[in-house]
Amino acid sequence: MYEAILAAAIPAAGWVAHAALLHRRLNAERHDPISGLWDRRTWMRRADRLIRQRRVNTVILCDLDGFKPVNDTFGHDAGDAALKATGARLADYIEHHGGAHTVCSRLGGDEFAVAATTNDLETFTSGLARALAQPVPWPGGPLKFTASVGAIRIADLPQPSASTALGAADVRMYEVKGRGRRGRRTLPRRLSALLTGRAV
């Protein structure tokens, strides 16, 4: 009987190990390899679920200012170090200040997104901007850059979703930068359209 149990246990242990390996691979594929945060697709799916369940009340978009000079001056390894540091700082800040249910992502390039909960949006975003603007140690450095942070409350959106929230946060982020994508000050109209559900 002992032999029969052992014979059954060996394949079962193999399946457990195989399942664990698949889980690790799948988890790795869903993460950005540089920052360690969720990738864009995974973040959108998770943020949508949290928004539907009303477990978060804010979506935030961060863009690094001065990132290109870091790459140009110190090289792409330094740029990767800046992105990695940003991911770690973002995750740490959100863990301590973002409520029980949060999700962070590197969307691509030097853009990062967050779904979180905060009751004091101005204090939250200014604190996040300060945390992300700390110089990163680097040979011949340090690496210096800042972050523009745009945020939108889910309650302000006529059709709450990760996509609409991200679009509105993007507008707010460029308001923080003080310019539009083409250097024109058309952002208030675009934001108004997003918040009322009208076509831009």
Side-chain angles (χ1 to χ4, degrees):
M1 183 173 182
Y2 175 77
E3 290 79 3
I5 294 174
L6 182 61
I10 291 174
W15 277 110
V16 169
H18 181 66
L21 178 62
L22 288 176
H23 177 74
R24 285 196 300 271
R25 286 180 177 174
L26 183 60
N27 199 45
E29 288 175 0
R30 291 174 176 172
H31 282 81
D32 170 57
I34 297 176
S35 68
L37 303 178
W38 294 111
D39 63 19
R40 184 187 189 103
R41 182 177 180 181
T42 304
W43 182 87
M44 294 291 286
R45 186 172 62 250
R46 288 173 175 249
D48 259 330
R49 184 171 68 247
L50 291 172
I51 290 170
R52 285 196 309 270
Q53 296 171 347
R54 299 183 180 180
R55 294 188 174 187
V56 295
N57 67 7
T58 303
V59 165
I60 296 163
L61 183 64
C62 307
D63 179 82
L64 301 185
D65 302 317
F67 178 73
K68 187 176 185 300
V70 167
N71 262 333
D72 292 345
T73 303
F74 297 98
H76 290 290
D77 286 347
D80 287 352
L83 294 172
K84 185 175 182 179
T86 298
R89 291 169 178 178
L90 182 63
D92 181 69
Y93 186 89
I94 298 305
E95 180 181 356
H96 288 90
H97 304 283
H101 305 282
T102 64
V103 59
C104 307
S105 170
R106 177 183 171 221
L107 299 179
D110 59 353
E111 283 193 339
F112 296 79
V114 173
T117 296
T118 177
N119 295 321
D120 187 344
L121 193 54
E122 184 175 351
T123 299
F124 185 89
T125 55
S126 61
L128 177 58
R130 285 194 300 272
L132 298 183
Q134 299 301 311
V136 176
W138 188 257
L143 310 178
K144 296 181 180 180
F145 51 90
T146 59
S148 293
V149 180
I152 192 72
R153 289 199 177 279
I154 303 302
D156 293 335
L157 298 169
Q159 298 176 334
S161 70
S163 179
T164 57
L166 202 58
D170 179 67
V171 174
R172 286 271 167 85
M173 183 188 71
Y174 277 93
E175 285 181 320
V176 171
K177 287 180 179 292
R179 58 178 175 79
R181 289 189 184 275
R182 297 180 180 85
R184 297 179 300 188
R185 294 184 177 276
T186 58
L187 295 178
R189 182 174 66 85
R190 184 180 166 210
L191 182 59
S192 175
L194 284 166
L195 297 182
T196 57
R198 298 195 309 269
V200 179

